[in-house]
C-alpha cells in the first residue's frame, strides 16, 4: 500500500538535509544565490529576523506571492514559516506545496497556549527548542525536525550554544537512565513519556536537530556542528553580511568541514564583514523571541 | 571490507549504520585521497546541487570519475552518477541513464510503497523522498525495479542506481547486493584486495 505523510517520509526528508545549510531568503534572486552557494534548502520569508526586530509590529506568514516566487526559482526544497498555533497559515502553506513548515517563534505567536497538532498534516514541520522537554513536546505533537531556538536576528551565537548543549546533555542523561527513572524524568522535563522511551531505544533524538538563532560566521556554523548539530539554519547572517555570495559559500564549506580549521581560515578570508551583532543582555525580556512558545 | 560513504552532505550516518549491519567497515569520505582506501563507495541521499558544489570546491571530480570499484548511488547519488540529468549538467556520470530530479513531486508527494525487485523473493518497502526517476537506459543497464512505470532501480556492471532510500529502513537487501558486487570485484581483480 502506498503511504504518504508518514513519520518515515517526513523525518526522512530532514535526514537528507543533514550536514547542510538552510538559508533565509526574501525573494527569487536571494534564493538563487543560496542555491548556487550550495544551500540544501531555503526558508522563504518576508523579512529576515533582524529586520523583523527592527520593524516591530506583528510578524506573520510571508505573502504567498513571495513563497511562490521562491518555489519557482529553485529546485532545492523550500521551507516557509507560519505563526505558532496558526492552523490556517500552516494549511495555506501546505496547500501551496512547500516542502517543510517552520512553526516559528520568529513570527508573532497566534496562540500562546497551544502549538499546532503537526501529526495531522501531510507536510513535515520543524520547530524550535531550548531544552529536551520542549524538544520532546514538539516531537509529541508531530514535529519531524528540530532546531535550537537560539536568539534569532542577533548574530550572537551564545543562545544557540546554550540550547544545543542543554538538549544534548539531557539526551545523554536519558540514554543512561534506568527504565524505572524515566517516568519521573518525563514529569520533571514536561516531556511525553513515549518520546523519552524512543530516545532511550534509539540512543539519540528520533528526529534531526539543526542549530539556529544567531549564526553569523563560518566559525559559528562549524562551532554548532562541533557541538553536535545535524546542520545549520542561517537567517540574517547571510543576506545581512557585506557580501552574501561569499558568506553563503564560506558557511557551506565550514559546515561540511567543521573540523578542518585551516580550511575554515581559508574560506573566512576576504569575505567581508559579518552582520552587526546584538549583545543579548541589552535585549528586553519581552523582545527575546526564544521565550515565545513553551 | 571497507565501504566509503561520500560525506559532504546528506544521510551519511544512516548508510554507515547499514554498512556496519552487513559486517563491513564504513568510512566517511571527505577528500579524494581517501577513495584509494576503500573497496566500494556509496553516494548517499541529500541535495545533489549542494554535493556538486562541495565536490568541485575540493577538486574531487576527477578522482570520483576514475573510481572503478563498485558504487551504489541512492536518490541524490543516482543524480550524481547519471550520464544525463534533465535540465542540468552531468555530474560524475558513468551510469547510462537519463534522470529526472524530483520527478514524483515535492515533499508532500513523498511516499513509501512495496516494490517488486528482480531477484528478490518478497517485496521490498521502498521510501521515496522528493525522488528522481530514470527515464531511458543504455543497453547494458539492467532494470531491477519500476514503480508505476517509472524506473527506480538499475544495475550496470559494478554500479547500482537507486531512486529510493535503502538506508531509511531495516531491510538490508540492497546493501547485500552491493556487498556481493564488492566480493565479485575483489575476485576479479585480486590486486584490489586491501
Amino acid at each position: 500500500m502506498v503511504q504518504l505523510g508518514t513519520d518515515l517520509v517526513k523525518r526522512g526528508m530532514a535526514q537528507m538535509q543533514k550536514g547542510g545549510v538552510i538559508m533565509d531568503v526574501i525573494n527569487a534572486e536571494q534564493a538563487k544565490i543560496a542555491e548556487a552557494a550550495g544551500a540544501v534548502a531555503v526558508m522563504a520569508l518576508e523579512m529576515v529576523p533582524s529586520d523583523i526586530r527592527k520593524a516591530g509590529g506583528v510578524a506573520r506568514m510571508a505573502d504567498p506571492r513571495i513563497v511562490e516566487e521562491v518555489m519557482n526559482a529553485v529546485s532545492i526544497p523550500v521551507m516557509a514559516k507560519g505563526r505558532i498555533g496558526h492552523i490556517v497559515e500552516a494549511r495555506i502553506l501546505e496547500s501551496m506545496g512547500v516542502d517543510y513548515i517552520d512553526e516559528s517563534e520568529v513570527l508573532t505567536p497566534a496562540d500562546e497556549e497551544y502549538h499546532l497538532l503537526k501529526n495531522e498534516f501531510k507536510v513535515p514541520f520543524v520547530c524550535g527548542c531550548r531544552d529536551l522537554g520542549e524538544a520532546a513536546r514538539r516531537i509529541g505533537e508531530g514535529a519531524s525536525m528540530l532546531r535550537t531556538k537560539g536568539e534569532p536576528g542577533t548574530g550572537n551565537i551564545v543562545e544557540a550554544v546554550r540550547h544545543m548543549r542543554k538538549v544534548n546533555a539531557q539526551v545523554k542523561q536519558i540514554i543512561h537512565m534506568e527504565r524505572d527513572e524515566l517516568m519521573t524524568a518525563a514529569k520533571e522535563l514536561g516531556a511525553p513519556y513515549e518520546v523519552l522511551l524512543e530516545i532511550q531505544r534509539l540512543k539519540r533524538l528520533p528526529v534531526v536537530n539543526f542549530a539556529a538563532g544567531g549564526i553569523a560566521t563560518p566559525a559559528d556554523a562549524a562551532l554548532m556542528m562541533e557541538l553536535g548539530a545535524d546542520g545549520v539554519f542561517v537567517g540574517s547572517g547571510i543576506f545581512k553580511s557585506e557580501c552574501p555570495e561569499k558568506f553563503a559559500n564560506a558557511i557551506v564549506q565550514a559546515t561540511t568541514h567543521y573540523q578542518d580549521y585551516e580550511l575554515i581560515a581559508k574560506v573566512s578570508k576576504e569575505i567581508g564583514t559579518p552582520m552587526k551583532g546584538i549583545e543579548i543582555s541589552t535585549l528586553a525580556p519581552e523582545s527575546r523571541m526564544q521565550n515565545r512558545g513553551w | 571490507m571497507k565501504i566509503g560513504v561520500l560525506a559532504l552532505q546528506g544521510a551519511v550516518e544512516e548508510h554507515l549504520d547499514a554498512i556496519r549491519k552487513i559486517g563491513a567497515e564504513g568510512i566517511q569520505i571527505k577528500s579524494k585521497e581517501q577513495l584509494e582506501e576503500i573497496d566500494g563507495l556509496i553516494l548517499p541521499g541529500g541535495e545533489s546541487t549542494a554535493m556538486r558544489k562541495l565536490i568541485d570546491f575540493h577538486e574531487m571530480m576527477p578522482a570520483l570519475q576514475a573510481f572503478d570499484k563498485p558504487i551504489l548511488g541512492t536518490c541524490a547519488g543516482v543524480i550524481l552518477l547519471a550520464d544525463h540529468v534533465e535540465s542540468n549538467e552531468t555530474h560524475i556520470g558513468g551510469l547510462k541513464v537519463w534522470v529526472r530530479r524530483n520527478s514524483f513531486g515535492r515533499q508532500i508527494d513523498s511516499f513509501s510503497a512495496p516494490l517488486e525487485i528482480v531477484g528478490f523473493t518478497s517485496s521490498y518497502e521502498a521510501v521515496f523522498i522528493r525522488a528522481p526517476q530514470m527515464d531511458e537506459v543504455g543497453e547494458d543497464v539492467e532494470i531491477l525495479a519500476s514503480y508505476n512505470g517509472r524506473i527506480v532501480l538499475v544495475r550496470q556492471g559494478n554500479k547500482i542506481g537507486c531512486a529510493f532510500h535503502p538506508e531509511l529502513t531495516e531491510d538490508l537487501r540492497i546493501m547485500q547486493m552491493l556487498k556481493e558486487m564488492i566480493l565479485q570485484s575483489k575476485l576479479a581483480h585480486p590486486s584490489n584486495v586491501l
Side-chain angles (χ1 to χ4, degrees), chain A residues 1-3 8-9 12-13 15-18 36 38 40 75-77 94 97 99 122 249 253 256-257, chain B residues 8-10 14 30 46-47 49-50 53-54 57-58 101-102 106-108 111-112 114 129-130 147 165 167:
Chain A
M1 202 185 71
V2 181
Q3 297 188 75
L8 186 60
V9 297
M13 157 74 196
Q15 284 168 275
M16 298 310 137
Q17 303 266 294
K18 289 202 301 185
V40 291
S75 65
I76 54 176
E94 182 182 49
D99 296 296
K122 237 165 70 179
N249 177 60
Q253 300 297 341
T256 293
H257 301 281
Chain B
L8 299 175
Q9 188 273 315
E14 289 79 354
K30 289 197 177 203
E47 289 304 320
T49 52
K53 177 86 191 166
L54 289 154
F57 189 82
H58 297 281
R101 291 177 65 200
N102 306 332
R106 302 193 71 97
Q107 169 57 20
I108 204 138
F111 64 99
S112 62
I129 295 177
R130 286 171 49 95
Y147 180 78
H165 291 283
E167 76 282 14

